Amino acid sequence: MRAIKSCLSTIVSYPELLQHEETLNNSQGAAGSVSACYDVMSWIAYLESLDDVLDMLKEAHENINNQSATSKKDHHVARTTTLEAAGRTFRISPILAPGITHTPAQFTKEIKQLIQARILVGERSVSLLPGSYKLWKNHLTFRTGLLDMSSGKNNTGSGGGNKDLQKICNHNRIPSYLLTASSKFKHYHATVSAFERSLVRLHKMPRLWLMYATFVILYDPERNPTTVRRIYDRALVALPASQHERIWEECLCWVTGILPSNSSAGSSGSGEGGLSVTRKGIHKVKYGFESPLVAEWRKRGWGCGQLQSENEYIPTVPTETALRILRRYAQCFDTTFREDLATLCITRYERFGEAASLLLQLLNNEQPDGNSSGGGAFLSPNGTTRHELWLRFADVCTAHPTEAKVAGVDFDGIIRAVLKGQDVRSGGSGIAAGGNDLGFEVFDNTSKAFGASEDDKQQQTKEATNKSQAVNHRLGEMEGTLWTRLAEYHVRAGDFELARSVYEEALDAITRVRDFSLVFDAYVRFEEGVIEALMELMEDEDEEGDEDEMKDDKGDSMGDENDDLDILLGDHVNNAVAADENAGASADVELAISRAEHLTSRRPLLLNRVLLRQNPHNVGEWIKRSELYYDLGEVDMAAAALEESLKAVFSRKAVNGSPSTLVLTLVDIYENQQKNVDAARNLLERICSKNEYEFQDSEDLAQCHAAWVEVELRQENWDMSLELARRAVSGNIGRKGSKAARGLSRSLRLWNLLFDMEESLGTIQTTKDAYDRALEWKVATPSHVLNYASFLKEKKYFEESFAAYERGLGLFQFPHAGATLLWKNYLTDFLERYGGSKTPRARELFDRCLAECPSENASEFYLLYGDYEENHGLTKRALGVYERMCNAVPADEKYTAYRLYIAKAIQYLGVTSARPIYEAAISTLVDGPASRICLEYAKMETGLRETDRARAVLVYGAQLADPRRDPDYWKAWHEFEVSHGNEETFREMLRVKRSVQAAFSTVNYNSAEMGAGAPKVETLTEESALEMIAKSEGVEVDSKKQPLIGGFVQGKRKAEVADLGEVERRAARLRQATAAPDTGGDEIDIDDIDDDEEEEEEPSNSDSRSTTDVTEKAIPTALYGGLAPSTEK
């Protein structure tokens, strides 16, 4: 009661607070209104006024304390502080004087009294309005803040407040009753009572529960975790399920000491071994502010952002209590927390067995009650992949095998079940059903009898292949890692022999080269570790033996008494036992070394098995496996490997070689290495006769038949080998067999073998029968026909050889490439046999050949035909053959054909008989060859002293020769005119050249066609040529008034000179002009022949054609040639 009066007297001293008190004490408000004491906002305003006054007084108190400390330090006179708060004036000074209301001590007491008044007013408000959340929150916030004021700086930052108060008391040996009797504990107890009273009405408010738990966590002097746990339990019971996440967030923060992330996505802190726990701030995301405990811990610098951090406060919660709370959270609220719980068990609580069990549940995607979740695979909220979960599970079980086994985790059975394709939940104890001891499933599932069809064998391996693919898809590249972890698990458990068996099983089960490298390297390291351990053990024993010997030496000096005792006990027996122990240790070391060496030597074979497990149809790897066994001297194992390959390899899927290579290699081993010819015959009989292996390609089966024949030949069983060759192509083997067997009758390999053996071992008739059957079945080739004909020719069966040619030509007609070869040999053999005795038959053969032969291949037959007619026939027929050749051969060979025709005509009929052939060639050939023919034609006419005909030919061929591409033609014409022409004919040549250049001026050629890089031919210019002619004739020419020569040819082959007849007519007119007698009339001008053309082309230069100032002189007759005039001018 005294305290209440003191509080009221304190309130009365403040006028503004007194107004609030008077307002609340009015029993009845205005008409129709509620009394002010039941108005929440009135109480809130009253409490806020009290808080404002307290804030002002506290701030002034701090300033006074600071001024006091400064005055003592600087020896200043004390200052007086004036303060007005809530209508009351305070004058504060350390020295009590008139006008001074309070000293600092009195002012401090005033603040405490006002605080008590504030508490009293809060209690009054919540007692009148017990269901008001605002009043309770305001009152409880003020009460909890008082403990922060009393603690000062000791409870903030990283100071002494970070230490547990109970620990401080225990360290200082403070009794517990003194702790509970302190004023701070009484205030704590009163605040706890206030929280309990508030929760009577407001137990559905999660904020109050959070404030309550935070207050107990921060200010409970005993730091009892049971009290806090019970508060959280009561909150979870009282609140609806939709509010539980707010409670659990603070509870997990209290248990683990890990603060949630400030971001909405959360963050993960790294713990030991790279493990992490993700904590999301639910309050920060949903409500925009953090929960009370998180906010207080951040302000005080408590908690941590990761699993373990030094120099940070983490509340002391017993391990078992923490684990029970975390298990409850993971079981009842958030099942995805099992991953974080496993991480905490590994990094903080060292419960490795429980961590392994939790990780196994995640891998099985099971709920804690044992039922598999229906939502698919476990999706980690931290982004942990299934591969990482497997590795984490393997690491835990491997590092702590005993704890995992105690927790009921059968790591060995689980790993074996997973690697064998079983479900982990199915028990996982041992090897999968249907497997084998070695794990080499491909070999065992395909090890049926040879007689099984390919479809049956494919069906047998289909399930094994699908299982292997499923395991690879599920485990990815983790298979080798799991095998090594399983072996390490047994090594840490001390089961070395079991670890070796695991390594061996892994090497026989893995299907990737990468996994093989991991397992093999781990296996080698294990064997090396065993050797090192044994060596260290031997060294330790040797050191102990040396110490014992030193002790024995010291004991020898004690006298003869011990010697008598040694004799009685038998000292040599002890020495023998020690020697046996040393020998046993040495044997163990030697055994370990031999194991390591044997493992290293097996590496190529083990790697080859991995490749074969990847693709059992790899023929090249099977051959390599047999070679590896052979290099090791194990011939029987090499043969067994190839026998196994014939069971595993399907011809349709064979790669890296043909299946017949396996058979041939195995036959070679049986015959040459094992010297067991019967085994080779038995194998070939099963393959060739019984069709125990189904080949896809008939060529592979043909190779096997050929190998069987060769084996018998090497054994000198001639009849048997010939019989096998005949039977292989008979077509009777494969009627009831496979497609490959039915195709043997068309195998060229077997037919070639049969022909060779028939010619060597058979009779003439059997050989003829073999060739005839091949021709009848249309399996013979042109080479077979040639061999058949050659064989008959050697045996003097000429007509039958010609009949063989005829049959071959019936099979291989033009345009087949073999037809040319057959006709050539046919005609050659016929002419060699009969010569000219059967000319009509020979001509008939040539005519048949040339009628069917395409133009590209006809030239050699025409030459052969022409040569035959020259030797055994008529010249006329021979020339007719050459003429036919000129018309039949392709365009690129016509030039050569015409030259041959011309040469033969000149040889047999004379030079003049070639003129019509030249004219036909010029009219038929294209421009280039035609111009060359013109040159040859002109050369021939020049040789006959037919200069005019030669010039006419050159004029005609000029339109075919472009001066840019064919300078040799114009050089030859130039030399011809210099040797046999005159000034006028030379000018005519120049005019034609310019006309041709103008005609070809629109034609473009590239440098290659122009003959780039060819040597440049120096020719005479027009001026130099005219000067040379004038000099030879003794005529002086004025170089300043040389005549201009014009002219133009309209186009190639379209000029005014269309044929040689026109050229000859113009030449005749030219002779008349030069040979006309002098009758006193007008002199005939040669230019008048083309005066119309000259007038059209150069009308302005008509006067310039006459030559002036030229001394005339008679032209020598030799210069005219056949155009020599009858009378000299």
Side-chain angles (χ1 to χ4, degrees), residues 164-178:
D164 193 282
L165 183 60
Q166 181 67 42
K167 292 182 178 180
I168 297 176
C169 296
N170 294 336
H171 179 70
N172 297 328
R173 296 182 180 180
I174 300 176
S176 300
Y177 69 90
L178 293 179

Side-chain angles (χ1 to χ4, degrees), residues 517-542:
S517 300
L518 290 176
V519 174
F520 187 82
D521 294 343
Y523 195 3
V524 171
R525 288 194 299 269
F526 165 71
E527 294 293 350
E528 291 176 352
V530 171
I531 294 173
E532 292 177 359
L534 292 175
M535 294 294 292
E536 292 177 359
L537 183 62
M538 285 186 61
E539 293 177 358
D540 295 340
E541 291 179 354
D542 292 339

Side-chain angles (χ1 to χ4, degrees), residues 434-467:
N436 50 47
D437 294 337
L438 296 178
F440 198 23
E441 299 176 357
V442 174
F443 282 9
D444 293 339
N445 289 333
T446 58
S447 59
K448 291 188 71 176
F450 255 144
S453 64
E454 186 172 354
D455 294 336
D456 295 337
K457 289 189 282 186
Q458 288 182 354
Q459 186 66 26
Q460 293 170 14
T461 57
K462 185 176 181 180
E463 296 180 359
T465 304
N466 293 337
K467 182 186 292 185

